[in-house]
Amino acid sequence: MNNWIDTIKKFQAALLDQPFLGSIFIVDFAILLLHRPPVLFSLLMVGGLVAMSMYFGQKLAIFNLMPKTGVKPAPVATAAKAVAEPAAAPKVAATAAVSTPAPSATETKPKAKAKPKAKPKA
């Protein structure tokens, strides 16, 4: 969103759509801002405020990081795909990221030879 007024209107609409959560959010914020509650109570209130902020942030999705051009981002190689293709050569994605296959269970390092024991002096 380019306009802050639209963002504020969207936030106000979300608070009005859910009056119970909106009133708890506003009262919690006002108590923490204007009063000095006991430490443990204030920690609980801050935790509740953070949880409600994350909920409203997820619900509103104010900051859209991906542009709406219809172009989907290039897929990223996952560990499951790398294990499924251990013998394949590394592939280069559109973002120039190189995926390397994970070592499989059959590929193990050779064991180092044990050192010979010292002979006792006779």
Side-chain angles (χ1 to χ4, degrees), residues 110-118:
K111 294 182 180 179
K113 293 182 180 179
K115 293 182 181 178
K117 294 182 180 178

Side-chain angles (χ1 to χ4, degrees), residues 60-76:
L60 296 175
I62 295 172
F63 304 107
N64 292 328
L65 300 177
M66 299 300 293
K68 295 182 180 180
T69 59
V71 178
K72 293 184 179 180
V76 180

